[in-house]
Amino acid sequence: MTTKSAVAAARATVYGYPRQGRRRELKKAIEGYWKGRVTADALRTTAAELRRTNWQQLAEAGIHEVPTGDFSYYDHVLDTTVMVGAIPARHRAAVAADALDGYFAMARGTQDVAPLEMTKWFDTNYHYLVPELGPDTVFTADSAKQVAELAEALALGLTARPVLVGPVTYLLLAKPAPGVPADFDPLTLLDRLLPVYAEVLADLRAAGAAWVQLDEPALVQDRTPAELNAAERAYRDLGARTNRPKLLVASYFDRLGAALPVLAKAPVDGLALDFTGAAAANLDDLAAVGGLPGKRLVAGVVDGRNIWVNDLEKSLSTLGTLLGLAERVDVSASCSLLHVPLDASAEREIEPQILRWLAFAKQKTAEAVTLARGLAQGTDTIAAELAANRADLASRAASPITHDPAVRARAAAVTEADARRSQPYGERAAAQRAHLGLPLLPTTTIGSFPQTDELRAARADLRAGRIDTAGYEERIRAEIQAVISFQEKAGLDVLVHGEPERNDMVQYFAEQLTGYLATRHGWVQSYGTRYVRPPILAGDISRPEPMTVRWTAYARSLTGRPVKGMLTGPVTMLAWSFVRDDQPLGDTARQVALALRDEVNDLEAAGTSVIQVDEPALRETLPLRAADHPAYLAWATEAFRLTTGGVRPETQIHTHMCYAEFGDIVQAIGDLDADVISLEAARSHMQVARELAAHGYPREAGPGVYDIHSPRVPSTQEAASLLRRGLEAIPAERLWVNPDCGLKTRDWPETRASLESLVAAARTVREEIEGVSAS
């Protein structure tokens, strides 16, 4: 039983909730607005209805204090950029003319104006828009969105807590604006930014906010003394102001480490800490600094990033220890529930017993409420929930899904030689050049072509029984024919089949591997209106039969040019799934790698000479603390080499990465031992090419010259300019020409025009090089 003081203290809350709606109403409304089918007022009405539904459901579930301000049309970091008035100069006129259209222009760009750069939010698959700052940046407060959404929640009679990206994290996530020296440090703007935050906080207090949450996840990363000093100054300044609500500073995704004593001593009113996974170290660290006397602690004991049911008794033990370390202890998920699907009960096709192992946002909310009740009123009041939870955990542990002796025996028998190509890169490169006969600056795409409404309708018709398998496959063959024909006419050198049969680059494979579960409604936001359904990696992994050979072989039969086989790599299969948490990630990665190795070998045996194994999540999954990097990179790079290590020297292995910071993993990119890597580079103006050169990367590379996350079509001159910039870092004999990423989300008209520009740019620059050589 808990003490009487805990009864008054323990309440449940969350930091954020999925934005999209049960049927992805937000996505449909925004895309309808972009296409002119939905008015701005109708979009705002849909958004307000979704916010109201979320808040009411949270309150009805027992959440005492609902979050506001976490809702976004596109990205909460972009919302922060608007809140502090840091609009890039090239977008100011559009924002002034129409705030909503200007907002989307910053996110997506227009034909004439480039968008903000986009990259991964810490080690998640969520993407944020990178703030662009410089020494001349002038901040101005615009709290309209935050105040309006708080007012909406208060009008419903709810207790509400606005959630903002904290000032230190905002500056640490920012980059120098175009034209600003690369060594400019946005953190030098802190003293200029703090009065703007103080004004926003004052506005929220005047609007009725008792508490405001300031998220500082950047502080869980390795931070310099200067950066920690900036955090200390920021919260000394904001905490000392009198015209403010109570301040709750939140961190998540890892342990705070050296930043914990800084925040514990700051004149703020509470901390929200993650106590899951590696962040469980926060418990001992908090005790070591003497706890939070006189302050509120929000304990994130429910994992906000994975979908497995909570071990309630373990969490209660953690919470019991925390009771003595703060004046008041509340219970929450470890981070915003933005990173998990909405409701597991909607999954009618998952076997009921297995479904009891899963907790999506709605179920995690219930877990937090149950834990708060047990902490406040004693475990006797949640005895039934504890018994059911014990049974669910035992059912999962004993399930045959989680243990396949043959898979485990094969993984245990792997040797170092299995993860090594038979010849070094230099010898392979010569064999590949002779075998493929490609021109200087070869052109290709990343894999997918537009997923049209007709393709989606064909999949829906197949599921509904309106067409049979033969009819569906005829539509797929027709699409592959069209994609191959277009690429040949456009002049691309290495072709792809376009992936019309694939619903998603991870789900497609997961549905054909044992050990995975697929969801029907498990949508999670990746960026903007792009939602994915991460499969659930629940058990041991194997490949019953070939997955891609048939369609790749069909595409090859239509052309005399090389056609890439396209696979998703083992690290990305893990990172973009909800992965089992009952064994080390490295063990699971090895199982996935062995299944993919079988597919690579079958593709080669069928005559495929170029095979791409995408690993866009290699950098994303990098642990946030440098001390944890070596162990992760060891198993991650081994898994890739195990996937690709069995092919002949003349078979060219490609990989692809996008929308992350690659400078600190260039050595690991080399350790993959891929022959060619393609990378996102258009929005970052070829930064990655310079990083590869600075590290002496010796293999072939294709830094992207076409930003596929924007609807704008690059001109031939623009693509050629980027290509020339790439040549400053990578010699022509090792440089490929390609888009940033796959074309699945683009429409056909812009795809055709953009790829024609890309090919023309390669031809132009190729002729320039050959002209110089001839002279």
Side-chain angles (χ1 to χ4, degrees), residues 194 213-214 239 249 254 324 345 357 368 413 428 477 531 553 606 637:
L194 290 176
Q213 178 176 319
L214 293 162
V249 181
D254 210 321
S345 69
W357 306 348
R428 301 197 311 261
R477 278 191 289 272
Y531 289 83
T637 55

Side-chain angles (χ1 to χ4, degrees), residues 369-392:
V369 171
T370 295
L371 288 166
R373 188 167 77 252
L375 186 65
Q377 301 175 17
T379 54
D380 289 350
T381 63
I382 59 168
E385 290 92 335
L386 291 175
N389 180 246
R390 281 193 296 269
D392 295 337

Side-chain angles (χ1 to χ4, degrees), residues 432-449:
Q432 291 159 17
R433 281 193 291 270
H435 181 63
L436 295 172
L438 298 173
L440 196 69
L441 305 179
T443 56
T444 190
T445 64
I446 304 306
S448 63
F449 267 66

Side-chain angles (χ1 to χ4, degrees), residues 94 143 232 271 331 411 493:
S143 60
E232 189 275 331
L271 297 185
V331 183
D493 299 305

